[in-house]
Amino acid sequence: MTADSEAGLPADKPPVDGVYADDPAPKSGIGILFVVAILSGSFLLFLVQPMIARMALPRIGGAPAVWNSAMLVYQALLLGGYAYAHWLGRVPLRRQAMIHLGVLAVAALWLPIGLVAIRQPAGLDAVFWVPVFLAASIGPLFFAISAQAPLLQRWFAAASGGRDPYALYAASNIGSFGGLIAYPLIVEPTLALHNQSTVWSIGYALVFVAVLACAFRLPKASVAAPTEHHPTSPKPSTRRVLHWIALATVPSGLMLATTTFLTTDIVAVPMLWVLPLGLYLLSFTIAFATQRAAANLIQKFAPVTILLFGGTLMAGAQSEAFLSAMMALLLLFVVAITLHARMYDLRPDPDRLTGFYLAMSVGGALGGVFAAVIAPVIFDWTYEFPILIVGAGVLAAQPYLLPLFQRFWEGSERRANIAGVAAVLAIGVLIVLGIANPGQILGARAEAYAFLGMAVIGVLVIGQRPLYVFALVASLFLFGGYRALELSLTTDARTRSYFGVYTIREYADMRTLAHGTTLHGVQLKGAPELERTPTSYYLPGSAVGQVMQAAPALYPQGARVGVVGLGTGTLACYALPNQQWTFYEIDPAVLDIARNRFTFLQQCLPQGVDLALGDARITIADQPAASLDVLVLDAFSSDAVPMHLMTREAFDTYARALAPDGVLVVHISNRYLALEPVVEAAARLGGWSAALLTDYATDNGILGGSTSDWVVMSKDGATLARLTATDLRWRTLRAYSGFTPWTDDFATIVPLVRALNKDLPVED
């Protein structure tokens, strides 16, 4: 008989912070109270990230280094919050509550949420400045809120008499998902930033009250457990902690890699980032649920899903873009549930809960750093996507699909060895045939036969992890991986930056630049006059082409021209010797491509051109007033809409930089968004005269031409009248009832999404 049992205390279950499972029953409603506190805190956490980003955008710009720095700030604060919650477990419960309420109270000094009134010191790089700026603006608030999910779960375990607290993590992620969806769909479209700040501050006060109420439910220390704040369960091994970290790393990285893969190789859709992140968060609600049926079922079939969907996505299917997008999202969801459920199965006792969540946050940060920071630097394609799929295959449980398979593999070691060798040889044959292009032998269905063969072998070897992983790697390699590697190793046609993957393709009569799946420039081949011909969106009959051709008459002294967005440098072929041209470009990779892979700049501006690297709004704001005669905004192709470049304050910046009779040319071609309402509202409120011209590719008759929509604006109505007098295709901008103009304080793309608003014009 143990000392505990002699004292009348339970010997079979350890205390949680000194509270035993058969202590007096907790008061009713305690579960709901803790759920509300955890859910509301997580909701606020996922509101503050996009909110502070929107606030900071006009001040710090949209350069990739800026936003990667911001991401690292969020991850560092989240890690800090989890580490603080883990440290707090060393002290008694009531003292934990006092300390955390004090932290929340001190953090409240940063309310209402907003940006600190400090400026970037001269000479300090943005990579170092942005973390300091964001941490000073929201650091204490983010830190205090981020600690609550693990901390309150531990409190709940003690306050409820030893009930399992892990299910509350599902509530935490429901709150996170709610905040994530609510911001772009509800908060941003209905509230200006200053109102968002007020609402968030009210929410913070309510969370403080909820945490205070939870603190009052904490029990007093058990007199039989004087060391109540010390864990009593066995300490997890280093191998187990590393396993937790790995299980958290792969879903976190795959969530970001899926977003990059979809927007680069499948389809570019506004707000697409919400879907992978939302599914990632929802996966916890299934993986950490008390009822295990759904999680167990998904884990059982996860190896099949990873094998089949991974191979299909690597094969690529731009003709079925949305089907491929759905498959990628489903694959992410299955992987996240599978690996998070495995974490749940390996969870420690509640008294070591905060260390478990700290390891999870370390893994999440590592996955984010790999996919968002390291991969764009070391890879020229989205290789992180197949790498993380392989990681998922390595870590996922390997249950036999059928009892027959289990009896086969475990029935005889000799039989299993023979089957394994046969599987390896069959996979090797499929790889050789696939690379050798067996189409001449097997016909058009060769790839389908190879895929079917690989799928059959992969399904048969599930349960034998080395063979399964080999089949998975072979499938990814055969159905797209080897072609990607070949392009990376044998040519310099592809490059990558934080903005995405750029691919240069050579044809007999032209050279093209694509950003992901979106065409960004075309140069004709042959005679010098062909190579200097403006193509794609910049044809002579387009609005920007007409402005450039009219510039010598409008500004005979020599036009001062600024272009936001370099691309291939096509617009340079409108330049004249007495003109001064400046290109504003945010991506260094584009500068290298325009200078070294296309010849527009060399042939059309041999005297040289000014290239300003950085966020255009910030760079233009630093220029002298009236220093430009023509300013072209060409940063809005495909889904890339730098919102801070199209607010009323941004247009005021352009007006200041332009001469009184200057011309602003805005490219609004977009497959998914109708941007005309944004420009119309800015023109009307800013006192601009404006007109729009659509130039159809079928009308221009030039090889490499693309349909384009451009808006031309000027503070001088006479200048605009001269530009539009000779072409009947010009029209005035249409006003859209109910549209709220974009400002730095309020902007949303929801009313502009064509798929959501049927009355908007459709891009041809």
Short mmCIF file of all heavy atoms in Angstrom, two decimals, residues 13 114 121 216 235 262 316 331 342 344 360 391 465 472 479 558 598 639 642 680 733:
data_model
loop_
_atom_site.label_atom_id
_atom_site.label_comp_id
_atom_site.label_asym_id
_atom_site.label_seq_id
_atom_site.Cartn_x
_atom_site.Cartn_y
_atom_site.Cartn_z
N LYS A 13 -4.15 7.68 -10.31
CA LYS A 13 -4.09 8.83 -11.21
C LYS A 13 -3.27 9.94 -10.57
O LYS A 13 -3.46 10.26 -9.41
CB LYS A 13 -5.50 9.37 -11.51
CG LYS A 13 -6.35 8.40 -12.31
CD LYS A 13 -7.69 9.03 -12.64
CE LYS A 13 -8.55 8.07 -13.46
NZ LYS A 13 -9.87 8.66 -13.79
N GLY A 114 -2.78 49.82 -32.78
CA GLY A 114 -2.38 50.72 -33.87
C GLY A 114 -0.87 50.71 -34.01
O GLY A 114 -0.16 49.90 -33.40
N PRO A 121 14.86 54.91 -38.79
CA PRO A 121 16.10 55.70 -38.77
C PRO A 121 16.81 55.63 -40.11
O PRO A 121 16.79 54.61 -40.80
CB PRO A 121 16.92 55.01 -37.67
CG PRO A 121 15.92 54.26 -36.84
CD PRO A 121 14.85 53.84 -37.79
N PHE A 216 -10.99 32.67 -11.17
CA PHE A 216 -11.79 32.48 -9.95
C PHE A 216 -12.22 31.02 -9.79
O PHE A 216 -12.57 30.61 -8.68
CB PHE A 216 -13.01 33.39 -9.96
CG PHE A 216 -12.74 34.77 -9.48
CD1 PHE A 216 -12.84 35.86 -10.33
CD2 PHE A 216 -12.35 35.00 -8.16
CE1 PHE A 216 -12.59 37.14 -9.89
CE2 PHE A 216 -12.09 36.29 -7.71
CZ PHE A 216 -12.21 37.36 -8.58
N LYS A 235 8.85 12.39 -17.75
CA LYS A 235 9.30 13.40 -18.70
C LYS A 235 9.45 12.78 -20.08
O LYS A 235 10.02 11.70 -20.23
CB LYS A 235 10.64 13.97 -18.24
CG LYS A 235 11.19 15.08 -19.12
CD LYS A 235 12.52 15.61 -18.58
CE LYS A 235 13.07 16.71 -19.47
NZ LYS A 235 14.37 17.23 -18.95
N LEU A 262 -0.40 26.45 -55.56
CA LEU A 262 -1.64 26.77 -56.26
C LEU A 262 -1.51 28.05 -57.07
O LEU A 262 -1.89 28.12 -58.24
CB LEU A 262 -2.79 26.90 -55.27
CG LEU A 262 -3.26 25.62 -54.58
CD1 LEU A 262 -4.37 25.93 -53.60
CD2 LEU A 262 -3.73 24.59 -55.59
N GLY A 316 0.56 17.91 -63.05
CA GLY A 316 0.12 19.20 -63.55
C GLY A 316 -1.10 19.06 -64.43
O GLY A 316 -1.20 18.15 -65.24
N LEU A 331 -5.68 17.32 -50.12
CA LEU A 331 -4.45 16.67 -49.69
C LEU A 331 -3.90 17.34 -48.43
O LEU A 331 -3.50 16.68 -47.47
CB LEU A 331 -3.42 16.71 -50.81
CG LEU A 331 -2.03 16.16 -50.48
CD1 LEU A 331 -2.10 14.69 -50.10
CD2 LEU A 331 -1.07 16.36 -51.65
N ARG A 342 -1.82 12.22 -35.03
CA ARG A 342 -0.70 11.44 -34.49
C ARG A 342 -0.09 12.16 -33.30
O ARG A 342 0.29 11.53 -32.30
CB ARG A 342 0.34 11.23 -35.59
CG ARG A 342 1.51 10.35 -35.17
CD ARG A 342 1.07 8.96 -34.83
NE ARG A 342 2.18 8.11 -34.45
CZ ARG A 342 2.09 7.10 -33.61
NH1 ARG A 342 0.92 6.80 -33.04
NH2 ARG A 342 3.15 6.36 -33.32
N TYR A 344 -1.74 14.08 -31.29
CA TYR A 344 -2.71 13.89 -30.20
C TYR A 344 -2.53 12.51 -29.57
O TYR A 344 -2.60 12.37 -28.34
CB TYR A 344 -4.12 14.05 -30.75
CG TYR A 344 -5.21 13.87 -29.73
CD1 TYR A 344 -5.63 14.93 -28.93
CD2 TYR A 344 -5.84 12.63 -29.55
CE1 TYR A 344 -6.62 14.77 -27.98
CE2 TYR A 344 -6.84 12.46 -28.61
CZ TYR A 344 -7.23 13.52 -27.83
OH TYR A 344 -8.22 13.36 -26.89
N MET A 360 5.05 21.98 -30.35
CA MET A 360 4.20 22.16 -31.53
C MET A 360 4.46 23.52 -32.17
O MET A 360 4.54 23.64 -33.40
CB MET A 360 2.73 22.06 -31.14
CG MET A 360 1.76 22.22 -32.31
SD MET A 360 0.03 22.30 -31.79
CE MET A 360 -0.18 20.65 -31.15
N GLY A 391 7.64 14.11 -46.75
CA GLY A 391 7.70 14.15 -45.29
C GLY A 391 6.42 13.63 -44.66
O GLY A 391 6.44 12.92 -43.65
N ARG A 465 6.66 0.67 -44.45
CA ARG A 465 7.00 2.08 -44.61
C ARG A 465 8.12 2.33 -45.62
O ARG A 465 7.99 3.19 -46.49
CB ARG A 465 7.35 2.70 -43.26
CG ARG A 465 7.45 4.23 -43.30
CD ARG A 465 7.80 4.79 -41.92
NE ARG A 465 6.80 4.43 -40.94
CZ ARG A 465 5.68 5.12 -40.72
NH1 ARG A 465 5.43 6.21 -41.44
NH2 ARG A 465 4.83 4.74 -39.79
N LEU A 472 6.22 6.38 -53.14
CA LEU A 472 5.77 7.77 -53.15
C LEU A 472 6.79 8.68 -53.83
O LEU A 472 6.44 9.51 -54.68
CB LEU A 472 5.52 8.24 -51.71
CG LEU A 472 5.14 9.71 -51.51
CD1 LEU A 472 3.84 10.04 -52.25
CD2 LEU A 472 5.01 10.04 -50.02
N PHE A 479 5.96 11.69 -62.28
CA PHE A 479 4.85 12.47 -62.81
C PHE A 479 5.05 13.98 -62.63
O PHE A 479 4.13 14.69 -62.25
CB PHE A 479 3.54 12.01 -62.19
CG PHE A 479 3.26 10.57 -62.44
CD1 PHE A 479 3.37 9.65 -61.43
CD2 PHE A 479 2.95 10.13 -63.71
CE1 PHE A 479 3.15 8.31 -61.66
CE2 PHE A 479 2.73 8.79 -63.96
CZ PHE A 479 2.82 7.87 -62.92
N GLY A 558 10.55 67.33 -73.70
CA GLY A 558 11.06 66.01 -73.30
C GLY A 558 10.31 65.51 -72.09
O GLY A 558 10.47 66.06 -70.99
N PHE A 598 15.91 39.69 -71.79
CA PHE A 598 15.18 40.40 -72.83
C PHE A 598 16.01 41.62 -73.25
O PHE A 598 16.84 42.11 -72.47
CB PHE A 598 13.79 40.83 -72.34
CG PHE A 598 12.86 39.67 -72.13
CD1 PHE A 598 12.91 38.92 -70.96
CD2 PHE A 598 11.93 39.32 -73.09
CE1 PHE A 598 12.06 37.83 -70.76
CE2 PHE A 598 11.07 38.24 -72.91
CZ PHE A 598 11.14 37.50 -71.74
N ASP A 639 -3.82 38.34 -60.44
CA ASP A 639 -4.46 38.54 -59.15
C ASP A 639 -3.69 39.48 -58.25
O ASP A 639 -4.09 39.76 -57.14
CB ASP A 639 -4.61 37.19 -58.42
CG ASP A 639 -3.26 36.65 -57.96
OD1 ASP A 639 -2.29 36.83 -58.70
OD2 ASP A 639 -3.20 36.05 -56.88
N PRO A 642 -1.71 45.27 -55.47
CA PRO A 642 -1.16 45.96 -54.30
C PRO A 642 -2.13 47.04 -53.83
O PRO A 642 -2.17 48.14 -54.37
CB PRO A 642 0.15 46.56 -54.82
CG PRO A 642 0.43 45.86 -56.11
CD PRO A 642 -0.91 45.51 -56.68
N GLU A 680 -12.53 54.76 -60.57
CA GLU A 680 -13.58 55.77 -60.76
C GLU A 680 -13.79 56.58 -59.48
O GLU A 680 -13.89 57.81 -59.53
CB GLU A 680 -14.88 55.08 -61.18
CG GLU A 680 -16.01 56.02 -61.56
CD GLU A 680 -16.76 56.59 -60.36
OE1 GLU A 680 -16.82 55.89 -59.31
OE2 GLU A 680 -17.29 57.73 -60.47
N LEU A 733 -15.65 56.57 -67.23
CA LEU A 733 -15.74 55.51 -66.22
C LEU A 733 -17.16 55.42 -65.68
O LEU A 733 -17.84 56.42 -65.51
CB LEU A 733 -14.77 55.78 -65.08
CG LEU A 733 -13.28 55.85 -65.45
CD1 LEU A 733 -12.44 56.11 -64.21
CD2 LEU A 733 -12.83 54.57 -66.13
#
